[in-house]
Amino acid sequence: MAALDGLPPLRDVIARHGLDAKKALGQNFLLDLNLTQKVARNAGSLQGVTVIEVGPGPGGLTRAILALGAKKVIAIERDPRCLPALQEIADHYPGRLEVIEGDALKTDFENLARGEPVKIIANLPYNVGTQLLVNWLLPRQWPPFWQSLTLMFQKEVGQRIVAREDDNHYGRLGVLCGWRTEAHMAFDIPPQAFTPPPKVTSTVVHLVPIEKPLSCDPDKLEKVTQTAFGQRRKMLRQSLKPIGGEALLARAEIDPQRRAETLSVEEFCRIANLL
Ligand code: SAM
């Protein structure tokens, strides 16, 4: 069946370019263009918007983003085997797709955005995705260079991103995301939607920056959350000992018998501001 954009079906593209999925690169491709459109729509209107896509692979999500009217897509892909397939999409949408071969973890995204507001969309291996998310959340300058993040993760990571206090999934990621963004899980994608299917359900998470988050130094907040959640079952007076323990908690007016997972984002910021 021909696709709506007039380009060949992704299954044919993959066969023609010999893009057998590589486990080491976390390659689980979405071949259903209706589904990739559903993911891309989650980023809101793309009309006239510049999108940075990480890990386009054979280009299913890229095609959806372009079909939905993005002014330009800048795509970073690590696997050189995907470049000829992506070039076909670039030829179909002249001047609208720029592909950069490289490792997203070593990419200067702010520089890529060239001062334009961008939306970031990605379906990435979860370890790379989590590290990138943390990098995107920690710049000193806020609001950041991006308008929104629409990211696919394994569901458990999505739950950690949106978790707040008193939730088993709450941890460093929940505090960081809760501090600077409004984050929600949009919808799940079952393993069988991917080729090859991963072991777990995936979920699409959408994050938008809070204009004026609580004032806090990102490095200090990282230090507090890492220290507190490093021993999440212990009382704070014990887990926070390396950075000030009971004295620090007294200054923050927080009961030292509480555990990390009961502290709100505001309370974590309060402690960080006292370091
Ligand atoms: N976007 C495509 C889709 O939805 O079908 C492919 C998704 S696949 C889960 C992840 C893609 O990210 C692969 O194409 C893989 O080669 C690429 N990738 C993995 N690690 C990367 C990295 N560090 N930098 C850039 N791309 C990476």
Side-chain angles (χ1 to χ4, degrees):
M1 190 179 74
L4 284 176
D5 58 11
L7 284 161
L10 280 162
R11 216 168 274 286
D12 296 359
V13 173
I14 286 174
R16 193 155 38 83
H17 293 283
L19 301 178
D20 311 320
K22 279 194 185 168
K23 214 174 171 185
L25 285 171
Q27 292 183 335
N28 302 98
F29 301 130
L30 277 179
L31 306 188
D32 177 346
L33 292 167
N34 290 318
L35 195 51
T36 57
Q37 286 224 10
K38 187 173 171 190
V39 175
R41 262 193 229 106
N42 226 271
S45 170
L46 295 180
Q47 286 292 332
V49 170
T50 298
V51 173
I52 295 183
E53 189 197 353
V54 190
L61 194 50
T62 321
R63 283 165 61 170
I65 297 166
L66 287 163
L68 288 172
K71 177 168 79 176
K72 176 152 194 175
V73 178
I74 304 168
I76 301 116
E77 174 55 59
R78 194 171 177 181
D79 185 352
R81 297 179 311 154
C82 297
L83 301 188
L86 293 167
Q87 186 55 48
E88 288 174 7
I89 304 172
D91 292 342
H92 188 79
Y93 290 100
R96 289 176 59 197
L97 172 61
E98 178 182 343
V99 181
I100 297 170
E101 182 190 346
D103 181 349
L105 290 171
K106 296 184 185 144
T107 300
D108 180 345
F109 286 91
E110 188 152 6
N111 192 36
L112 273 191
R114 294 168 200 138
E116 292 234 7
V118 296
K119 293 187 173 182
I120 297 179
I121 304 181
N123 171 19
L124 270 177
Y126 87 99
N127 52 339
V128 181
T130 311
Q131 186 54 55
L132 286 175
L133 170 60
V134 170
N135 295 348
W136 288 325
L137 289 173
L138 287 178
R140 299 213 150 258
Q141 196 74 9
W142 202 266
F145 68 92
W146 47 270
Q147 284 182 333
S148 68
L149 306 174
T150 304
L151 309 173
M152 228 176 291
F153 284 106
Q154 58 186 75
K155 188 167 182 180
E156 192 264 336
V157 178
Q159 286 167 323
R160 289 202 272 131
I161 290 170
V162 302
R164 298 299 172 258
E165 64 269 31
D166 297 322
D167 177 328
N168 281 343
H169 294 99
Y170 188 47
R172 169 189 174 225
L173 211 46
V175 175
L176 271 187
C177 294
W179 170 45
R180 280 186 151 175
T181 70
E182 298 274 358
H184 75 272
M185 289 205 292
F187 59 93
D188 290 347
I189 305 184
Q192 60 272 23
F194 296 87
T195 305
K199 288 203 174 70
V200 293
T201 297
S202 301
T203 199
V204 174
V205 184
H206 185 69
L207 303 98
V208 288
I210 294 174
E211 192 85 10
K212 286 199 177 114
L214 293 168
S215 163
C216 191
D217 178 301
D219 295 337
K220 289 183 179 168
L221 187 61
E222 272 282 87
K223 186 158 190 154
V224 178
T225 52
Q226 266 168 11
T227 315
F229 286 109
Q231 303 185 30
R232 60 186 297 141
R233 301 274 162 245
K234 296 227 165 109
M235 288 182 198
L236 289 165
R237 68 165 172 235
Q238 182 64 29
S239 58
L240 290 186
K241 238 180 197 162
I243 57 168
E246 290 219 35
L248 176 65
L249 288 159
R251 286 167 62 218
E253 297 179 5
I254 290 170
D255 179 353
Q257 300 204 35
R258 287 172 64 187
R259 290 180 172 75
E261 64 196 23
T262 71
L263 291 194
S264 66
V265 171
E266 186 274 323
E267 287 172 312
F268 272 111
C269 290
R270 209 186 313 154
I271 299 175
N273 284 332
L274 290 168
L275 284 189

